[in-house]
Amino acid sequence: MSENLNNYLKSLNESQREAVENNSGATLVLAGAGSGKTRVLTYKLLHLLVQKILTPNQILAVTFTNKAASEMKSRVSAMLNFPIDKMWLGTFHSLSLKILRKNFDKVGLKQNFVIIDTDDQLKLIKKICENENIDTKDISPKFFSNAIDSLKNKGIFYNELKPNKYRTNDQQLRTIYKIYQEELIRINCVDFGDLILLCIKLFKTNDDVKKYYQNLFRYILVDEYQDINSIQQKWLEYLYQGHRNICCVGDDDQSIYSWRGADVTNLLEFKKNFNEPKIIRLEQNYRSTKNILECASILIDKNKNRYGKKLWSENETGDKIQINGFWETKEEAIYTSDQIERLISKKVALSEIAILFRVAAHTRSFEDRLISIGLPYKIIGGLRFYERKEIKDIIAYLRLTNNLSDDLAFERVINTPKRGIGKTTLAKINNIARLNKLSLFEASQIFINENNSKVNIEIQNFIKNILNWRKIKKNFDHIELTKVILEDSKYMESLEIELKNLKNPESLSRIDNINEFIESLKDFENLEGFLEHVGLVMENISNTSMPTISLMTMHGAKGLEFDYVFLAGWEEGVFPSQRSIDESGKKGLEEERRLAYVALTRARKKIQISYVNQNRYSYASHDFNAPSRFISELPKDLIEITDSKFVDDNNFLNNFISDEHISSDYLTPGRKRMLENKSKDIDWEFNQDFSSEDDLLINDTVVHKKYGTGIIIKKDADKAEVKFENFGLKKIYLRFLDIKN
């Protein structure tokens, strides 16, 4: 054994060492952000093996990702200098699969059963729906798939699902779930959710198997315990009943994945679930400055449902957290990029800089800015804004409207959203185009004249819409045109239906992205200018291996750390998310605050928080956002407010936001309106000057740099209808008009 190995305990602080050496009974290690959780997990495994307390096959170690499992195994193997392949180390699903492979016959499966993927799952459900005469246009197979997965994550078998008149599509769901499970058994398949569910069934129905694994695993070690769901908790409780030795490592202050099914209640009720547990707090932070930790600790202390701990550090005091308010997102992005350039001038590596967002859609203005000034960046855990499917779809619609010969755009949107126009039909249209040297749009018109097909009506409607949008384009601005396209094509309607059926964050994110897209259009005078901009943006997007600035959501940032962190979009309604509060009340607000805590604790050296006063999705109207309540919860002496026009008191939100009015039960969007009405009492002391736009009146002669001279016929908020001498009637933003002298 190497000298380093002999001295591994000496490198731990007192709390870390206690966590490593405590190896009997139930232990909960509350590992604060940056407190050395990974080191504790690794050294605990090492300790169990080095001290010969257990052999590798007697340890069950559960992680949340295969990557985490692989890294832990590699670290311990390297320190021991021998492989530990016999150790049961992996995710809940991979470990459950290992158990099922050995006991397949006891749950009705045959040897070599197959795990089906999401696509096959949907195909099977669609087939069942057709056999049961359920219209998949009315109820999407995706709805049933998500609902079944949710039930399985709660440990509910199809034969345990009781009628519930309040459950969406209750009768159909119970029917489909039953037939679906029977079909899986018939074709000797399981889905992802079955892996843990069937293990639970195995433990319930076969006492010998249950006792075998209870006796086999003499110690259970669980990582990221705050993120487990109901069925994973049941799985652990079954296996714990043998030797009753379990150590769960997690942080109730970093539980931010309830939308994935995670339930922090499991951690908060650890004392109830496991016998006489020992609770060890890891509170020394090795990552951040003292000021950052103090701010994060005071913020999270506002949450009531938590064990409680206070992070501390021997690091330097560090800078105060900077709070910056801006009129609009463009200003926010420009200021942030200027700050980043200052850091670069001081030799700070790009890889040590991150910009975090509550909503993925809000990366757009920052991406545009970084591209325009030539700073390389990458989106962590997602796609760049203009690469996202829904954005590419809308751009394709706009391109085709602008240019009927754009075959690439035609192919992308002809069946988006789905219109029943399949590959066979499209191949025929392509053939007509090739033989006659026509565009696909022209060829589609010939196709409907030469073919008696069921899809003719859909193609006709598509052609009619495109031609109508081209007419609209002559008289309306590109923003109004986009809204019409989204409505006529039923694109937004399809997303809203999807949201209603699926109720998942991905659907919400797509709608947010579209709203942000419409907001982005206000920066351009016309459609051509916007399309030109997009072309240049896409041209500048390249996969580079050079160091980059990291852009990501706060959820995606968990587990990561950077020297300099910029936190954008801290506005009330955006962060905390009004949607989360409406749906989950106090629970939702507390999870949003935990998310703020996670965001703050990503930074080692410095944090800048920014908010935007103008509503991000107001389409250039003058609606105002209040800064996030989380800003008011930060200690006044540890923050610097560089923009005092809107914030002059640390408790500026207390007059109109009170947590006591937030229920833990479902809240309607009416609460939002209540908050908005209360916010009107705030004295904002606005310094913005709209006089240049207000000076423009009906009948004024104005000049536009593209359309020339015209007369204002009608004025509405920030837009006007202008009759131009050479271009006729146009809707134009006031800011693009000048009074003719």
Side-chain angles (χ1 to χ4, degrees):
M1 192 178 295
S2 68
E3 185 180 346
N4 183 49
L5 192 56
N6 280 320
N7 295 325
Y8 67 93
L9 290 175
K10 294 181 180 179
S11 65
L12 303 174
N13 65 38
E14 186 177 340
S15 297
Q16 290 174 333
R17 182 162 181 164
E18 183 183 8
V20 167
E21 291 187 306
N22 187 65
N23 297 311
S24 63
T27 307
L28 175 62
V29 180
L30 293 171
S35 62
K37 180 198 73 170
T38 302
R39 171 176 285 222
V40 167
L41 284 167
T42 304
Y43 281 21
K44 192 168 184 70
L45 275 178
L46 186 71
H47 186 71
L48 289 169
L49 297 172
V50 167
Q51 302 301 322
K52 298 184 178 178
I53 300 169
L54 297 168
T55 59
N57 69 317
Q58 293 175 318
I59 301 171
L60 176 68
V62 190
T63 62
F64 257 79
T65 66
N66 289 314
K67 182 183 178 184
S70 178
E71 288 176 352
M72 190 180 298
K73 189 176 285 187
S74 296
R75 285 196 196 101
V76 175
S77 294
M79 295 178 78
L80 290 171
N81 203 26
F82 68 80
I84 52 171
D85 295 332
K86 290 184 178 180
M87 181 180 292
W88 285 66
L89 199 165
T91 64
F92 280 100
H93 291 92
S94 66
L95 294 169
S96 294
L97 177 60
K98 193 173 179 179
I99 292 172
L100 290 177
R101 287 291 183 205
K102 191 174 179 179
N103 300 278
F104 58 88
D105 56 322
K106 298 176 180 68
V107 288
L109 294 169
K110 301 181 185 69
Q111 198 169 11
N112 301 320
F113 61 85
V114 175
I115 305 169
I116 63 171
D117 60 20
T118 304
D119 287 343
D120 287 335
Q121 187 180 10
L122 288 172
K123 287 176 184 175
L124 180 57
I125 290 174
K126 186 177 181 181
K127 184 180 177 182
I128 296 169
C129 287
E130 290 171 354
N131 293 338
E132 294 299 311
N133 296 317
I134 295 174
D135 189 350
T136 54
K137 290 181 180 178
D138 184 39
I139 310 176
S140 162
K142 190 75 174 175
F143 163 79
F144 291 116
S145 170
N146 285 0
I148 290 170
D149 284 344
S150 178
L151 290 167
K152 289 183 177 182
N153 286 337
K154 294 173 182 174
I156 301 173
F157 294 85
Y158 72 86
N159 56 352
E160 299 171 339
L161 190 59
K162 306 297 183 188
N164 184 343
K165 64 180 180 180
Y166 300 108
R167 185 187 294 122
T168 306
N169 303 316
D170 177 63
Q171 186 177 343
Q172 295 95 329
L173 175 59
R174 286 184 287 114
T175 300
I176 297 297
Y177 189 5
K178 179 178 183 295
I179 299 172
Y180 173 71
Q181 278 313 117
E182 290 171 347
E183 281 295 292
L184 284 178
I185 294 294
R186 186 183 68 79
I187 62 177
N188 198 34
C189 291
V190 297
D191 62 22
F192 204 60
D194 281 330
L195 296 176
I196 303 178
L197 188 71
L198 291 177
C199 268
I200 297 294
K201 182 180 179 180
L202 180 66
F203 299 150
K204 272 186 176 179
T205 58
N206 197 303
D207 201 51
D208 290 341
V209 172
K210 180 182 69 176
K211 286 181 178 178
Y212 171 80
Y213 288 104
Q214 287 177 345
N215 292 328
L216 174 63
F217 304 128
R218 301 174 72 88
Y219 201 88
I220 302 171
L221 182 60
V222 186
D223 189 17
E224 302 289 2
Y225 183 63
Q226 76 279 348
D227 292 333
I228 71 168
N229 60 30
S230 304
I231 195 170
Q232 290 164 344
Q233 177 66 29
K234 287 182 183 178
W235 190 90
L236 288 172
E237 287 175 9
Y238 269 114
L239 296 174
Y240 160 76
Q241 294 301 326
H243 292 272
R244 296 178 177 262
N245 296 320
I246 187 169
C247 177
C248 296
V249 183
D251 185 2
D252 50 331
D253 293 334
Q254 295 189 72
S255 179
I256 57 175
Y257 296 119
S258 65
W259 47 275
R260 289 184 185 170
D263 188 356
V264 72
T265 305
N266 293 312
L267 188 148
L268 295 174
E269 294 184 352
F270 192 85
K271 292 179 181 178
K272 178 180 169 184
N273 297 330
F274 301 103
N275 294 341
E276 300 179 356
K278 186 177 184 65
I279 297 177
I280 300 170
R281 289 171 171 81
L282 305 184
E283 296 176 309
Q284 184 175 358
N285 176 284
Y286 295 90
R287 177 186 300 158
S288 306
T289 65
K290 291 178 180 177
N291 278 346
I292 290 173
L293 291 180
E294 183 70 10
C295 283
S297 294
I298 289 173
L299 176 76
I300 198 62
D301 199 47
K302 301 289 185 195
N303 277 2
K304 305 302 180 188
N305 295 307
R306 60 190 294 261
Y307 277 99
K309 59 182 176 301
K310 187 169 176 68
L311 296 182
W312 61 276
S313 175
E314 294 179 348
N315 295 340
E316 63 181 358
T317 302
D319 296 331
K320 292 183 177 182
I321 291 179
Q322 289 190 345
I323 313 292
N324 304 296
F326 302 96
W327 173 237
E328 60 181 4
T329 57
K330 186 185 286 187
E331 289 181 33
E332 183 185 34
I334 291 171
Y335 179 86
T336 302
S337 68
D338 288 347
Q339 294 301 304
I340 290 172
E341 290 199 281
R342 288 193 180 95
L343 291 174
I344 294 169
S345 69
K346 296 177 182 178
K347 308 300 181 185
V348 174
L350 291 179
S351 58
E352 293 301 336
I353 302 171
I355 310 173
L356 309 188
F357 307 85
R358 174 61 180 88
V359 180
H362 294 169
T363 66
R364 193 271 312 167
S365 57
F366 289 81
E367 290 187 61
D368 281 354
R369 176 62 181 172
L370 293 174
I371 288 170
S372 69
I373 62 176
L375 283 179
Y377 72 93
K378 61 182 175 183
I379 302 289
I380 306 297
L383 295 170
R384 294 170 184 251
F385 186 79
Y386 293 108
E387 292 177 325
R388 296 167 192 172
K389 179 185 181 303
E390 56 278 8
I391 303 304
K392 292 175 77 172
D393 289 343
I394 299 168
I395 290 172
Y397 269 117
L398 291 169
R399 282 170 46 190
L400 184 59
T401 302
N402 194 57
N403 175 16
L404 296 178
S405 299
D406 192 333
D407 286 354
L408 292 174
F410 179 95
E411 286 193 291
R412 183 172 187 92
V413 299
I414 182 66
N415 197 41
T416 305
K418 294 195 181 295
R419 303 184 177 92
I421 304 170
K423 292 180 180 179
T424 303
T425 301
L426 192 56
K428 291 178 180 178
I429 294 172
N430 265 289
N431 191 49
I432 294 170
R434 188 174 61 256
L435 291 174
N436 296 278
K437 296 183 179 179
L438 300 171
S439 70
L440 291 180
F441 186 84
E442 292 169 318
S444 65
Q445 294 171 299
I446 295 174
F447 173 84
I448 59 178
N449 291 327
E450 294 181 349
N451 291 269
N452 186 18
S453 171
K454 291 181 180 179
V455 299
N456 276 15
I457 294 175
E458 293 292 346
I459 298 174
Q460 281 178 325
N461 288 336
F462 178 76
I463 292 170
K464 182 181 177 182
N465 277 335
I466 297 291
L467 295 175
N468 185 48
W469 299 335
R470 287 177 65 83
K471 289 179 183 177
I472 291 173
K473 178 176 173 289
K474 295 177 182 178
N475 297 314
F476 292 88
D477 67 44
H478 51 300
I479 297 178
E480 297 298 327
L481 172 64
T482 303
K483 292 178 182 179
V484 171
I485 289 174
L486 286 167
E487 184 175 350
D488 290 352
S489 67
K490 297 184 178 179
Y491 197 97
M492 278 300 280
E493 183 182 324
S494 69
L495 286 181
E496 287 164 358
I497 291 171
E498 183 180 292
L499 175 60
K500 181 182 177 182
N501 285 338
L502 308 185
K503 298 179 180 178
N504 65 28
E506 188 178 343
S507 303
L508 292 173
S509 179
R510 287 175 180 169
I511 293 173
D512 285 340
N513 286 337
I514 291 174
N515 286 331
E516 177 64 27
F517 177 83
I518 296 173
E519 176 73 8
S520 74
L521 295 174
K522 74 177 186 180
D523 296 330
F524 304 90
E525 287 190 50
N526 51 51
L527 177 60
E528 290 79 10
F530 171 74
L531 292 176
E532 184 178 288
H533 166 76
V534 171
L536 292 171
V537 166
M538 298 306 290
E539 181 68 25
N540 284 309
I541 289 176
S542 59
N543 294 319
T544 176
S545 58
M546 65 186 296
T548 58
I549 301 161
S550 296
L551 275 63
M552 70 197 80
T553 64
M554 296 174 189
H555 285 98
K558 188 172 176 294
L560 303 177
E561 57 186 69
F562 305 89
D563 282 349
Y564 300 90
V565 174
F566 296 85
L567 305 176
W570 281 46
E571 302 112 31
E572 194 67 20
V574 175
F575 188 51
S577 163
Q578 188 62 48
R579 198 179 282 142
S580 293
I581 295 174
D582 283 346
E583 291 180 355
S584 304
K586 285 183 179 178
K587 285 184 178 179
L589 178 59
E590 291 210 344
E591 181 156 332
E592 291 289 297
R593 191 175 283 112
R594 292 196 292 270
L595 189 56
Y597 172 83
V598 168
L600 291 169
T601 54
R602 297 312 93 197
R604 299 190 191 98
K605 295 180 179 180
K606 191 168 183 177
I607 293 172
Q608 292 191 36
I609 296 172
S610 58
Y611 63 91
V612 172
N613 302 306
Q614 184 179 345
N615 192 309
R616 290 177 185 267
Y617 297 151
S618 63
Y619 315 131
S621 68
H622 304 311
D623 295 335
F624 304 118
N625 280 333
S628 169
R629 73 184 72 191
F630 297 151
I631 295 175
S632 72
E633 294 175 358
L634 298 175
K636 194 173 182 178
D637 59 330
L638 297 182
I639 63 174
E640 280 183 359
I641 300 171
T642 59
D643 181 278
S644 60
K645 290 178 288 189
F646 298 91
V647 183
D648 53 14
D649 189 281
N650 194 42
N651 295 314
F652 66 97
L653 285 172
N654 292 350
N655 292 328
F656 75 104
I657 292 177
S658 175
D659 292 355
E660 68 185 35
H661 299 297
I662 303 176
S663 168
S664 293
D665 301 322
Y666 176 80
L667 289 173
T668 68
R671 172 172 166 76
K672 185 177 181 181
R673 290 192 294 275
M674 179 269 289
L675 295 180
E676 289 171 348
N677 290 334
K678 282 194 175 184
S679 69
K680 293 174 183 176
D681 299 327
I682 295 176
D683 181 14
W684 292 108
E685 299 180 6
F686 290 122
N687 292 328
Q688 280 71 23
D689 181 14
F690 303 122
S691 59
S692 61
E693 295 181 4
D694 291 339
D695 288 343
L696 298 175
L697 303 172
I698 292 172
N699 295 323
D700 278 350
T701 301
V702 293
V703 177
H704 185 272
K705 69 180 183 181
K706 177 181 178 181
Y707 301 122
T709 303
I711 297 173
I712 295 178
I713 305 299
K714 185 179 178 182
K715 185 179 173 184
D716 180 21
D718 56 352
K719 288 185 285 189
E721 289 187 20
V722 183
K723 189 174 181 180
F724 292 100
E725 293 175 356
N726 298 320
F727 291 91
L729 196 65
K730 300 283 186 182
K731 273 191 177 182
I732 303 290
Y733 280 103
L734 293 171
R735 65 179 177 273
F736 294 131
L737 299 173
D738 291 319
I739 294 177
K740 187 176 182 181
N741 296 320

